[in-house]
Amino acid sequence: MTDAVLSAPVATPAPDRERLAAFGFVAPSLLITALVFVLPLALLLGVSVLDPKGGVTSAHYARLLGTPYYLGVIWNSLRLGLLTTLIAFLVSYPAAFALARARGPLRSILLATLFLPLAASVIVKAFAWTILLRSDGLINTVLIAAGIIEDPIRMIFTQTALIVGAVNIFLPFMVLPIYTVVAQLDSRYAEAAATLGASPLVVFFRVILPLTLPGIVAGVALVFSLSVSAYVVPTLLIGAKYPTLATTIAKAYLLAREPGFGAAAGVVLLAIAIIVVALSALLSREPK
């Protein structure tokens, strides 16, 4: 009798019941995600193809993608994103190594200088750059006082001011992902490669760079997505002479009262961001 009881199979929950319980735990987050993200994007897509007179139309996309002016606007956004990302990477990569190799109070100070700007809003930082770069700003005042220039240099409302301001504002989003990876990098890999006869350039391109690629990809995706869709930075630092997709969307909704065209520009901007994220995911995927 005892042997029969011990040998009886133990009842296990049915797989369907486990799936149902798991779905019950996940369902609230899925609902919130659908309401907060999926539904607004679906509405945006719907408005972009909606004809004010009723029906469906592609006129908004034809106007956006078939007009030289708006193609230039798209290029302005891409150019801003590419230049900001490239310069931010060139500055951030060695800075991340310096930050990772710093020790003691120096590392704390460097991390504080990196994190503190994130506490200020983009508007505050963009306004700070307008104060620095204007004709009677700090930079021109110092240059004139030092005798380097006689008359103020026009810095504000130029493409240089836009790129410099954008790089400064979005730089922490490039440094942090790269620093996170570099801080975990084992220096013995480079030492082993050097011991085997590899030159410093070979060590960098064949060992260090591939190992830090995940941080680079994450930083590039973050900075490009933020800069290509920036609205406050180009508005304050260069104005209407450098129209971007973000400023075009704002004008379509706030001034021209063309929600369909603004939605189409938003969908194009969203598509650019999705392409960047998808490419980043492919690049960061480990080879099998």
Side-chain angles (χ1 to χ4, degrees), residues 187-202:
S187 60
R188 289 176 296 181
Y189 290 121
E191 294 173 0
T195 302
L196 294 173
S199 65
L201 284 178
V202 173

Side-chain angles (χ1 to χ4, degrees), residues 283-288:
L283 290 174
S284 60
R285 182 183 300 174
E286 295 183 359
K288 296 182 180 179

Side-chain angles (χ1 to χ4, degrees), residues 90-110:
L90 294 177
V91 174
S92 299
Y93 198 76
F97 276 88
L99 185 61
R101 293 177 180 177
R103 294 292 181 268
L106 179 59
R107 175 182 284 191
S108 301
I109 294 172
L110 293 176

Side-chain angles (χ1 to χ4, degrees), residues 271-283:
I272 293 173
I274 291 175
I275 291 172
V276 171
V277 172
L279 290 176
S280 301
L282 289 175
L283 290 174

Side-chain angles (χ1 to χ4, degrees), residues 193-218:
T195 302
L196 294 173
S199 65
L201 284 178
V202 173
V203 171
F204 176 76
F205 285 105
R206 298 294 298 274
V207 178
I208 296 177
L209 188 62
L211 291 175
T212 57
L213 188 60
I216 297 172
V217 171

Side-chain angles (χ1 to χ4, degrees), residues 1-87:
M1 181 68 180
T2 304
D3 294 339
V5 173
L6 293 176
S7 61
V10 179
T12 58
D16 293 338
R17 185 178 299 177
E18 292 181 357
R19 294 194 188 97
L20 186 62
F23 180 76
F25 282 111
V26 177
S29 60
L30 291 177
L31 180 61
I32 293 173
T33 302
L35 291 175
V36 175
F37 294 102
V38 178
L39 182 59
L41 294 179
L43 292 175
L44 181 71
L45 182 61
V47 173
S48 69
V49 296
L50 188 64
D51 191 341
K53 299 179 180 179
V56 178
T57 180
S58 61
H60 302 307
Y61 290 99
R63 177 185 170 191
L64 183 64
L65 302 176
T67 306
Y69 172 79
Y70 289 112
L71 288 177
V73 170
I74 296 173
W75 169 242
N76 285 344
S77 297
L78 292 173
R79 183 173 180 272
L80 174 60
L82 291 171
L83 287 177
T84 302
T85 304
L86 176 61
I87 298 173

Side-chain angles (χ1 to χ4, degrees), residues 58-249:
S58 61
H60 302 307
Y61 290 99
R63 177 185 170 191
L64 183 64
L65 302 176
T67 306
Y69 172 79
Y70 289 112
L71 288 177
V73 170
I74 296 173
W75 169 242
N76 285 344
S77 297
L78 292 173
R79 183 173 180 272
L80 174 60
L82 291 171
L83 287 177
T84 302
T85 304
L86 176 61
I87 298 173
F89 168 70
L90 294 177
V91 174
S92 299
Y93 198 76
F97 276 88
L99 185 61
R101 293 177 180 177
R103 294 292 181 268
L106 179 59
R107 175 182 284 191
S108 301
I109 294 172
L110 293 176
L111 286 173
T113 58
L114 187 64
F115 280 104
L116 285 178
L118 296 177
S121 68
V122 176
I123 298 176
V124 173
K125 289 182 281 191
F127 265 121
W129 274 105
T130 63
I131 295 172
L132 288 173
L133 298 175
R134 65 191 184 189
S135 298
D136 58 345
L138 179 62
I139 296 177
N140 272 314
T141 302
V142 172
L143 292 176
I144 293 174
I148 299 175
I149 60 174
E150 295 181 359
D151 298 319
I153 300 174
R154 186 173 178 270
M155 299 180 185
I156 195 67
F157 299 124
T158 62
Q159 293 190 25
T160 301
L162 173 62
I163 299 300
V164 170
V167 170
N168 172 263
I169 291 171
F170 299 123
L171 190 66
F173 298 99
M174 180 72 76
V175 176
L176 287 174
I178 299 177
Y179 163 72
T180 303
V181 175
V182 171
Q184 301 175 0
L185 188 64
D186 194 340
S187 60
R188 289 176 296 181
Y189 290 121
E191 294 173 0
T195 302
L196 294 173
S199 65
L201 284 178
V202 173
V203 171
F204 176 76
F205 285 105
R206 298 294 298 274
V207 178
I208 296 177
L209 188 62
L211 291 175
T212 57
L213 188 60
I216 297 172
V217 171
V220 166
L222 277 173
V223 173
F224 183 84
S225 299
L226 290 171
S227 56
V228 78
S229 59
Y231 171 72
V232 173
V233 178
T235 300
L236 294 179
L237 295 183
I238 197 170
K241 64 168 57 179
Y242 194 89
T244 62
L245 279 172
T247 57
T248 300
I249 294 169

